[in-house]
Amino acid sequence: MAQTKTDALPLGAAVVMLLLPQRPPLLLVDRIEGYSRAPRPTLHASRAVSVNEPFFSAELPTPPMLPRALALEGIVQAANILQIFVAVQRELEAIGRHAAELVSALRNADVGYRLETGFTPGLGEDILAAITMSGPARTGSIGASQLRFLRNVFPGDVLSYEIRLIREGADVQHFEADVEVRGQTVAQGMLSLSKVEGLLR
């Protein structure tokens, strides 16, 4: 895939869990690597696949492979994170605040979770609390997918997701997805998710 340029935004699993309702072992995004809002909203994220995952059973044939249904779930979760970024930034602007407040709040939360210096208590707390309180509204349900799976994923691989918002309707958002492992394309195509809105209200 020709990587779309994004601003580095290294955020760990604690922030991912703040944004998404899924929990291990079905949380299929470990890190947010980058995000840009223009020219089109784009998110880079990743997931390391371990042989210790509970869905790799000792009774299954070897070598163990990541089920494609779970690979699809990981793509959907990465797209959900992008939806949240887009929705919250728009809502911040609608109430007269700056879109960059979301990124600042997430960076600050990540520093706090890591117990690193530079954490600012209270910074963006209202934004993060509103997101977590929004419950099911913060995840769009999948409406359709046209994804091609080109390679298998094995324990030890790191999935690199690139998700781009390419088109919007009244209730639906359409995304392009490219997934790589070690620079080789694993899956690519399009998916449509119901729109995420009203996270700050």
Side-chain angles (χ1 to χ4, degrees):
M1 91 181 139
Q3 286 240 337
T4 304
K5 174 82 169 108
T6 57
D7 297 324
L9 185 65
L11 301 171
V15 172
V16 172
M17 291 173 72
L18 185 151
L19 296 170
L20 293 177
Q22 289 89 349
R23 292 295 176 263
L26 294 179
L27 181 64
L28 293 163
V29 177
D30 286 340
R31 289 178 51 81
I32 297 166
E33 308 285 358
Y35 166 71
S36 65
R37 194 177 183 194
R40 63 174 57 173
T42 302
L43 182 91
H44 285 121
S46 62
R47 170 65 150 85
V49 180
S50 167
V51 72
N52 294 312
E53 311 278 8
F55 39 79
F56 292 138
S57 167
E59 287 76 37
L60 292 176
T62 56
M65 292 182 289
L66 181 71
R68 289 188 172 175
L70 292 179
L72 173 59
E73 175 64 19
I75 295 167
V76 171
Q77 289 179 18
N80 281 154
I81 293 172
L82 181 55
Q83 285 187 301
I84 291 167
F85 275 60
V86 170
V88 171
Q89 288 192 321
R90 286 176 179 170
E91 291 173 24
L92 284 169
E93 290 177 333
I95 59 176
R97 296 173 64 176
H98 200 285
E101 289 185 53
L102 172 64
V103 171
S104 297
L106 294 173
R107 285 187 197 275
N108 187 61
D110 192 62
V111 169
Y113 290 135
R114 294 174 188 279
L115 303 177
E116 296 175 351
T117 57
F119 174 70
T120 305
L123 177 65
E125 198 171 83
D126 60 328
I127 297 171
L128 302 183
I131 292 171
T132 56
M133 291 295 290
S134 62
R138 62 188 157 144
T139 58
S141 57
I142 189 165
S145 66
Q146 295 176 317
L147 291 161
R148 293 183 302 142
F149 290 89
L150 306 173
R151 297 177 186 274
N152 292 315
V153 178
F154 301 96
D157 288 342
V158 177
L159 292 161
S160 296
Y161 304 107
E162 181 179 307
I163 310 292
R164 299 173 297 278
L165 176 61
I166 57 168
R167 195 170 65 255
E168 295 186 74
D171 301 310
V172 178
Q173 292 175 312
H174 305 280
F175 300 87
E176 284 180 342
D178 286 287
V179 185
E180 289 187 350
V181 170
R182 295 187 302 276
Q184 295 188 324
T185 302
V186 168
Q188 61 185 185
M190 298 180 63
L191 66 156
S192 302
L193 303 178
S194 59
K195 206 171 220 179
V196 167
E197 295 179 296
L199 300 184
L200 300 186
R201 299 178 203 134

